[in-house]
Amino acid sequence: MSLGTVAIIGLGLQGGSIGLAVQEFLPGTRTTGYDLDPATRTRAAERGLVHQVCGTAAEAVSQADLVIFCVPPGVMGEAAAEVRGAIPSGALVSDVGSCKQSIAAALREALPDHTVIPAHPVAGTENSGPDAGFAHLFRNRWCIVTPPEQTDLVKLSELVAFWEALGANVEIMDARHHDLVLAVTSHLPHLIAYTIVGTASDLEDVTQSEVIKYSAGGFRDFTRIAASDPTMWRDVFLTNRDAVLTMLQRFTEDLTALQRAIRVGDSDTLFDHFARTRAIRRSIIEEGQDDSRPDFGRTDHENGGARG
Amino acid sequence: MSLGTVAIIGLGLQGGSIGLAVQEFLPGTRTTGYDLDPATRTRAAERGLVHQVCGTAAEAVSQADLVIFCVPPGVMGEAAAEVRGAIPSGALVSDVGSCKQSIAAALREALPDHTVIPAHPVAGTENSGPDAGFAHLFRNRWCIVTPPEQTDLVKLSELVAFWEALGANVEIMDARHHDLVLAVTSHLPHLIAYTIVGTASDLEDVTQSEVIKYSAGGFRDFTRIAASDPTMWRDVFLTNRDAVLTMLQRFTEDLTALQRAIRVGDSDTLFDHFARTRAIRRSIIEEGQDDSRPDFGRTDHENGGARG
Ligand SMILES: NC(=O)c1ccc[n+]([C@@H]2O[C@H](COP(=O)([O-])OP(=O)(O)OC[C@H]3O[C@@H](n4cnc5c(N)ncnc54)[C@H](OP(=O)(O)O)[C@@H]3O)[C@@H](O)[C@H]2O)c1
Ligand SMILES: NC(=O)c1ccc[n+]([C@@H]2O[C@H](COP(=O)([O-])OP(=O)(O)OC[C@H]3O[C@@H](n4cnc5c(N)ncnc54)[C@H](OP(=O)(O)O)[C@@H]3O)[C@@H](O)[C@H]2O)c1
């Protein structure tokens, strides 16, 4: 792998993690970066997220072999259009956006003369901004690369090697299928978590303080992903609308069936459904995609709450 | 506090944790225990969950000052009826069941001559059985005690002191209100988690292996609580039916509103909803009810998956 310079546009959780990971795992590669927010640029420089934080996006991309857009899904096209004239003609363009069909279209429209190969590292936390990134975010996680049908295979293999160097396992997938898969493994879970946390905050007969106190009964698990960045998630639902609505329809049908089983006291249906769902967690743990310790390995009840 | 002997009926996650916690935090108190399952009794004796594992429930309770039923919600009454003649007349009877109105009624019907003060420690993990318990389960967690209107105040204060000794914060609450609060902080989250994990396992266009691989996008959070014991959860939904259906109705209304916002592209509604739900997580962490570290402090992507 011989990427001389990687330019990162957007220095939040994803951009910052890529910058730190390149410095740790690809020490021969130079990193430049830009963020729209001056405060983020300052903080990025303090944390050393990239070798050089630039004052403009054009400056950041000017020497790049690979440009990665790490901005919210809704502004990918805009961010790309801004640097159209500044990206070297042979440079590869990619991104980390959570939806692939609409972002691929926006990037190609903004940069018609460049090779664009979108990607999506399935790795994140509930935090965002320049303090959220860390070099090991992508280790043992999947990165889905969604090349167009006709693509530059040398550049594709460079991008695959790049993500593998950062610790990720790479999978090549059609953008349309990506959007369907992520609708169920990521977008629908976020929508449901946002919904239930909203529902619980709005009750008249149960106070917010009761919801907080007794959240260890299960509710607190949902509050983590419902604390994710609102801009990003608004954009995700708007840019992957059809797949999300399809999956939501399935979910609603299944919920209605369980609701009916509760209402009529159909204990067999409930038991059978609840007995079926254990296996999938076992597989997730076996494949290293979750912590095997009970309760995700939380230690908050050991030490009086790791208050932070 | 001067409880000479505590008898524990059911030696799974809850019963085992109480047994271990008493031995650690109340060294002057003797513990006896019984479980219906002979294999569980053997394992309980091996792990030393209580000082003495008995061959019958009657033997376990025969010297008890406090009897705690730690069996699934649906068999509380049955388990209590079995030891009616064997419990000393002055002994206090309690339980740890997740629903309080129906269990209180079942225990009182089975043991009309005893003081029954139900309780519910809001503490657990996704694991069950005799290997799941640990002494620190209740530390920094709330235990809700739901005494009947007329109760023996000396015994009530003994039960409160018992749970405080085990590390819990105690709250006194009306059983009806308990069932409503827990419907939203525990029962509805479990129902939704069970539903989405079922939905994701049943799709034609996304394979189970894809769901597992890309679960780090959010889905894996739901699989933890959907791996909980099916018997217990079937019983919870059947014994707290009305409150669960009420909360489910609210949730469905809110989900329908967000679905509509996605469908019509109402970005302001989405953003406003998603921006509102962050505060509640902050409060949960401030009150020590969750781990403050990103991603619950999971380390599975650090070390290649804490495979277990
Ligand atoms: N979070 C996750 O778990 C996750 C996982 C996989 C993929 N992704 C994808 O990664 C991308 C970035 O997400 P993130 O979590 O890293 O978000 P983030 O922490 O909020 O970082 C995004 C950064 O981009 C900046 N920005 C916005 N518009 C810009 C522009 N036109 N030019 C330059 N910078 C701009 C933002 O600045 P302001 O603060 O001024 O807006 C912010 O600092 C999104 O497309 C998301 O779908 C996220
Ligand atoms: N899990 C949680 O997170 C949690 C939290 C708070 C409260 N609770 C409540 O705690 C109670 C126990 O739950 P758990 O998680 O400890 O479940 P568990 O680990 O499955 O333990 C329950 C034990 O009771 C045994 N049992 C069943 N019927 C019995 C009987 N008639 N006499 C004696 N033993 C019997 C079971 O044996 P078999 O294996 O043979 O059935 C099992 O070993 C439930 O009422 C639940 O609502 C649970």
Side-chain angles (χ1 to χ4, degrees):
Chain A
M1 258 262 308
S2 57
L3 286 170
T5 299
V6 174
I8 301 168
I9 305 300
L11 295 169
L13 170 66
Q14 294 291 326
S17 295
I18 293 173
L20 293 170
V22 170
Q23 293 177 67
E24 180 162 337
F25 299 114
L26 292 169
T29 298
R30 195 179 140 66
T31 48
T32 55
Y34 170 76
D35 195 284
L36 195 59
D37 184 346
T40 298
R41 294 201 296 272
T42 302
R43 187 67 191 128
E46 282 168 11
R47 286 196 69 203
L49 298 181
V50 288
H51 292 113
Q52 192 193 345
V53 177
C54 302
T56 65
E59 190 191 338
V61 303
S62 63
Q63 309 278 317
D65 302 294
L66 168 62
V67 179
I68 309 184
F69 290 95
C70 302
V71 300
V75 294
M76 289 278 183
E78 207 173 289
E82 208 185 306
V83 289
R84 181 180 317 193
I87 304 182
S89 64
L92 168 60
V93 172
S94 189
D95 75 301
V96 295
S98 303
C99 318
K100 298 277 51 118
Q101 289 177 98
S102 59
I103 290 174
L107 291 177
R108 282 188 199 113
E109 194 189 315
L111 301 169
D113 302 327
H114 284 86
T115 302
V116 176
I117 307 182
H120 175 207
V122 185
T125 74
E126 65 275 30
N127 293 342
S128 55
D131 281 300
F134 54 99
H136 289 213
L137 178 61
F138 309 110
R139 288 188 67 186
N140 202 40
R141 288 286 165 270
W142 289 91
C143 180
I144 302 176
V145 175
T146 61
E149 268 183 40
Q150 308 289 337
T151 201
D152 179 331
L153 292 180
V154 173
K155 287 207 156 60
L156 173 59
S157 67
E158 270 176 17
L159 189 66
V160 169
F162 174 77
W163 279 106
E164 287 178 348
L166 269 42
N169 308 311
V170 175
E171 187 83 35
I172 308 283
M173 203 183 278
D174 170 63
R176 211 180 142 272
H177 190 60
H178 166 279
D179 287 358
L180 203 62
V181 171
L182 271 289
V184 66
T185 64
S186 179
H187 309 170
L188 181 60
H190 276 81
L191 183 66
I192 285 169
Y194 276 121
T195 304
I196 190 173
V197 176
T199 304
S201 335
D202 269 352
L203 300 167
E204 308 87 52
D205 24 22
V206 177
T207 68
Q208 186 134 335
S209 121
E210 287 173 324
V211 168
I212 291 162
K213 265 165 117 168
Y214 309 119
S215 60
F219 179 73
R220 61 181 179 154
D221 280 30
F222 292 70
T223 62
R224 185 186 79 80
I225 59 181
S228 300
D229 187 59
T231 304
M232 165 184 161
W233 283 99
R234 175 201 59 197
D235 287 2
V236 166
F237 294 115
L238 297 177
T239 50
N240 197 25
R241 175 166 58 183
D242 293 347
V244 169
L245 291 177
T246 302
M247 291 303 168
L248 181 53
Q249 175 64 23
R250 303 286 185 90
F251 170 80
T252 306
E253 285 165 17
D254 292 344
L255 187 61
T256 305
L258 284 180
Q259 178 175 22
R260 187 181 175 283
I262 293 172
R263 192 164 43 74
V264 304
D266 177 354
S267 64
D268 289 347
T269 294
L270 293 175
F271 184 88
D272 291 348
H273 187 105
F274 300 164
R276 230 158 37 85
T277 46
R278 252 182 178 169
I280 204 160
R281 178 153 188 88
R282 232 179 347 247
S283 307
I284 286 173
I285 288 170
E286 273 164 24
E287 302 220 353
Q289 295 302 310
D290 208 342
D291 204 310
S292 64
R293 293 171 296 167
D295 219 3
F296 303 122
R298 281 162 166 148
T299 58
D300 54 299
H301 53 169
E302 289 299 329
N303 54 19
R307 300 173 196 225
Chain B
M1 260 259 310
S2 55
L3 287 170
T5 300
V6 174
I8 302 168
I9 305 300
L11 294 169
L13 170 66
Q14 294 291 324
S17 295
I18 294 174
L20 293 170
V22 170
Q23 292 176 69
E24 180 163 337
F25 300 115
L26 291 169
T29 297
R30 195 178 141 68
T31 48
T32 55
Y34 169 76
D35 195 284
L36 196 59
D37 184 346
T40 298
R41 292 202 296 272
T42 303
R43 186 67 190 129
E46 282 167 13
R47 284 197 70 204
L49 298 181
V50 288
H51 293 114
Q52 193 193 345
V53 177
C54 301
T56 66
E59 189 190 340
V61 303
S62 63
Q63 310 277 318
D65 301 294
L66 168 63
V67 179
I68 309 183
F69 290 95
C70 303
V71 300
V75 294
M76 289 280 182
E78 206 173 289
E82 207 186 307
V83 289
R84 182 179 318 191
I87 305 181
S89 65
L92 169 60
V93 171
S94 190
D95 76 301
V96 295
S98 304
C99 319
K100 298 279 49 121
Q101 290 177 97
S102 59
I103 291 174
L107 291 177
R108 280 187 201 115
E109 195 189 316
L111 300 170
D113 301 327
H114 283 87
T115 301
V116 176
I117 306 182
H120 175 207
V122 185
T125 74
E126 64 274 29
N127 293 342
S128 56
D131 281 300
F134 54 99
H136 289 213
L137 177 62
F138 310 109
R139 288 188 67 186
N140 203 39
R141 288 285 166 269
W142 289 91
C143 180
I144 302 175
V145 175
T146 61
E149 268 183 41
Q150 308 289 337
T151 201
D152 180 329
L153 292 180
V154 172
K155 288 206 156 62
L156 174 59
S157 67
E158 271 177 15
L159 188 66
V160 169
F162 174 77
W163 279 106
E164 286 177 347
L166 268 44
N169 308 312
V170 174
E171 187 83 36
I172 308 283
M173 203 184 277
D174 170 64
R176 212 181 142 272
H177 191 60
H178 167 280
D179 286 358
L180 203 61
V181 171
L182 271 289
V184 66
T185 64
S186 179
H187 309 169
L188 181 60
H190 276 79
L191 184 66
I192 286 170
Y194 276 120
T195 304
I196 191 171
V197 176
T199 304
S201 335
D202 269 353
L203 300 167
E204 307 88 54
D205 25 23
V206 177
T207 68
Q208 187 135 332
S209 120
E210 288 173 323
V211 168
I212 290 163
K213 267 165 116 169
Y214 310 119
S215 60
F219 179 73
R220 62 181 179 153
D221 281 30
F222 292 70
T223 62
R224 185 186 79 81
I225 58 181
S228 300
D229 187 59
T231 304
M232 167 183 159
W233 283 99
R234 175 201 60 197
D235 287 1
V236 166
F237 294 116
L238 297 176
T239 51
N240 197 24
R241 173 164 62 181
D242 293 346
V244 168
L245 291 177
T246 302
M247 291 302 168
L248 181 53
Q249 175 65 21
R250 301 287 184 90
F251 169 80
T252 306
E253 285 165 18
D254 292 344
L255 187 60
T256 305
L258 285 179
Q259 178 175 21
R260 186 180 177 282
I262 293 172
R263 192 164 43 73
V264 305
D266 177 355
S267 65
D268 289 347
T269 294
L270 293 175
F271 185 88
D272 291 348
H273 188 104
F274 299 164
R276 229 157 40 83
T277 46
R278 253 183 177 168
I280 205 160
R281 178 152 188 87
R282 233 180 345 249
S283 305
I284 286 173
I285 288 169
E286 274 164 21
E287 301 220 353
Q289 294 303 309
D290 208 341
D291 204 310
S292 64
R293 292 171 297 165
D295 220 2
F296 303 123
R298 281 163 165 147
T299 57
D300 54 299
H301 52 170
E302 289 299 327
N303 54 17
R307 298 172 199 228

